Each structure stands twice: as C-alpha cells, then as structure tokens.
Amino acid sequence: MDQTLLPIIMASISIYLSYGAGMAMNDCADADVDSQHTSKQRRSIASEAISVRDGWIFCFVISMISIAFAWLANVMSSYGQAMVGGLGFVGWTVLNLLLMAGYALGLQKIFLVKNVLCGFFAISPLLGASLLGGMQLLGSDITIKLYQLAAIGFPLQISREILKDIEDVEVDRGEKQTLPLVFGERNSKRIAYVLVAIVNGSMLFSPHYWNMFSSKPPVYAISVALGAPMCVAASRLPLVKGQKLLKKSIYVLLSGMISGLLLQAWS
C-alpha cells in the first residue's frame, strides 16, 4: 500500500469518529430543547430512547477512539511530528474535540460564536489534512488549495447556520443569543444570502478559482452551473425549503471543487 495512503485512511476514520462524537455531544447538551423541536424530538436522546448519561459515555468512548486513530495517522506520517506543538494531527483532533465539547456545553449560546464555530467545524477537515501531511507530503500547491477551499466553505456554512437560527428562533428565545434574535429574522436572512452572493460572485467572476479547479472533464464548471442557480432559488423559497436547498447547493459546489482537485492530482 502507498505510504501516503495509510495515514490518510487513519485520519479519515478519526475525522469521521470525532464529528460523530461532536454531534452526539450536541444532542446530549440540547436534549431538553430538542424534545420541544418538531424536527428533532425523535432523536435518540431527545426522545429518551438513550439517556443523557449514556450519551455522554458514548461521546467519551468515540472521542478516545478518534484520538487513537489520529495518533496512528500522525505516526505514519513522517512529517506530522513538526505540526501543532509536536503533536501534529493528534493536536488538531484534540483541539477539535475540545471545541466541540465547548460548543455543546455553552459556547453555542454566545452571540456569533456559534456561527463562527460551525463555520470552522465545516472546514476543519481541510485544515487537518494540511496539518497531517504538511507541504512536504501533499505538496505546497495542494496545501495552498486546501486553504483556499476552506476560505470558500467557511462563509457558506456560516450563512446556512444563520438560516437555521432563523428557523429555530422561537426555540432559542431565552436560551441563546443568535443573530435573528438580536437583529431580526429579515435582516439575518439578508446577511446570510449576502454571504452566499459574495462567495458565488468570487467563484463566477474570479479567474483565480477557475484556474485553480480546472480539470478534464470540467467538473468545477458543471458544479458552478448547477450550484449557483440553486443558491439563487434558495433565496426565493420559504425559510425551511430555502435552507435545505442551500445545503444541497453547498454540497454541489464543494464536490465540484474537490473533484477538480482530485482530477488534477490523478492527471
């Protein structure tokens, strides 16, 4: 097996487990609130199918397994030891898990912190990939592109979180300080779609991104042709439907960019 492939597999398993742990932490912390939410009350912990105590035990176990796989990835990567205070990918994984725990236990209630953290969590695997290999293993070109891809994903995820906050405004009232509760639902929706418009504008009109993700077949061009109209359509739909369509458009755009990078690497 390729020596660069095995640490990537170990890292992918670690990321998958750590994000599963983070989602479970949030379910444990928000069990009472989710039980009042029509779209969340059937979740295992909110419905009391699993106790909050058992949920936290599950989070701890999965987190430890995630750190173990991160350690394996770090050891297998000959460049990992130089990153994050000598801990490399392990340090990134521990930091991510701590932030997820902090988010679940109260940071999500602080004005704008929730949105920024969710944006960070969305792009964090890209940052983790650069820490795992560094420029020596992945190459400076690929590493820089990972950061540029993160720069696109960050505002898109923040915009989606703002729309989710609008959807949850009644449940969050008195519990959290979200953008819709502070500035109003209409203004918050405008802010969310302004962020989307800025990202789409940069993708459509910047030669830099067209060159960066160019490939044969032109998957990036196809994703923009599909994703950009989806974003526009999402802004015209009712809130819940619009938020769901925006989520799909984000996946379409990011999949086009990632596929473009993979095709470049394989060509």
Side-chain angles (χ1 to χ4, degrees):
M1 182 179 289
D2 190 332
Q3 289 184 351
T4 63
L5 183 58
L6 195 55
I8 291 174
I9 293 174
M10 296 294 103
S12 298
I13 295 173
S14 173
I15 291 171
Y16 179 81
L17 291 172
S18 66
Y19 275 74
M23 294 177 69
M25 291 176 196
N26 207 44
D27 285 350
C28 291
D30 287 349
D32 292 337
V33 175
D34 288 348
S35 66
Q36 305 171 38
H37 200 293
T38 54
S39 64
K40 299 177 181 179
Q41 58 189 199
R42 294 184 180 179
R43 292 179 178 180
S44 298
I45 298 175
S47 65
E48 298 183 351
I50 298 175
S51 69
V52 173
R53 177 180 175 276
D54 288 345
W56 281 115
I57 293 174
F58 172 81
C59 294
F60 177 78
V61 172
I62 295 300
S63 296
M64 292 301 102
I65 297 174
S66 173
I67 293 172
F69 274 101
W71 178 81
L72 289 173
N74 206 70
V75 169
M76 293 173 185
S77 172
S78 59
Y79 300 102
Q81 300 301 321
M83 308 296 172
V84 193
L87 293 178
F89 192 69
V90 178
W92 173 85
T93 301
V94 172
L95 174 63
N96 237 25
L97 287 166
L98 289 174
L99 287 174
M100 288 176 181
Y103 174 91
L105 293 172
L107 289 178
Q108 61 174 306
K109 297 180 180 180
I110 302 174
F111 180 60
L112 292 183
V113 172
K114 171 184 183 292
N115 306 91
V116 172
L117 280 178
C118 286
F120 171 78
F121 293 145
I123 65 170
S124 192
L126 300 173
L127 304 179
S130 67
L131 290 173
L132 174 65
M135 292 189 179
Q136 300 95 330
L137 184 62
L138 298 177
S140 60
D141 185 52
I142 295 297
T143 303
I144 292 171
K145 286 178 179 179
L146 287 173
Y147 291 139
Q148 292 170 330
L149 184 58
I152 291 175
F154 183 74
L156 285 177
Q157 184 62 28
I158 286 180
S159 66
R160 179 171 173 260
E161 286 300 319
I162 292 173
L163 296 177
K164 288 172 65 179
D165 286 342
I166 298 173
E167 183 182 346
D168 294 342
V169 68
E170 292 303 324
V171 176
D172 289 341
R173 196 181 301 277
E175 295 288 334
K176 303 175 183 178
Q177 284 293 311
T178 62
L179 199 69
L181 289 172
V182 175
F183 289 109
E185 297 178 34
R186 180 176 295 183
N187 289 333
S188 298
K189 186 176 181 180
R190 288 173 179 167
I191 293 171
Y193 282 108
V194 164
L195 288 173
V196 173
I198 292 172
V199 172
N200 276 275
S202 66
M203 294 176 66
L204 283 169
F205 302 114
S206 171
H208 174 74
Y209 283 110
W210 287 100
N211 292 331
M212 184 169 67
F213 299 113
S214 62
S215 64
K216 292 182 180 180
V219 290
Y220 175 69
I222 295 171
S223 71
V224 172
L226 294 173
M230 290 171 68
C231 291
V232 174
S235 67
R236 298 176 178 273
L237 290 173
L239 181 63
V240 176
K241 291 183 178 180
Q243 187 267 126
K244 291 180 179 179
L245 183 59
L246 179 62
K247 179 181 179 180
K248 293 177 181 178
S249 72
I250 293 173
Y251 289 153
V252 169
L253 293 170
L254 292 180
S255 64
M257 289 182 277
I258 293 172
S259 298
L261 291 178
L262 290 174
L263 287 171
Q264 287 177 17
W266 293 336
S267 62

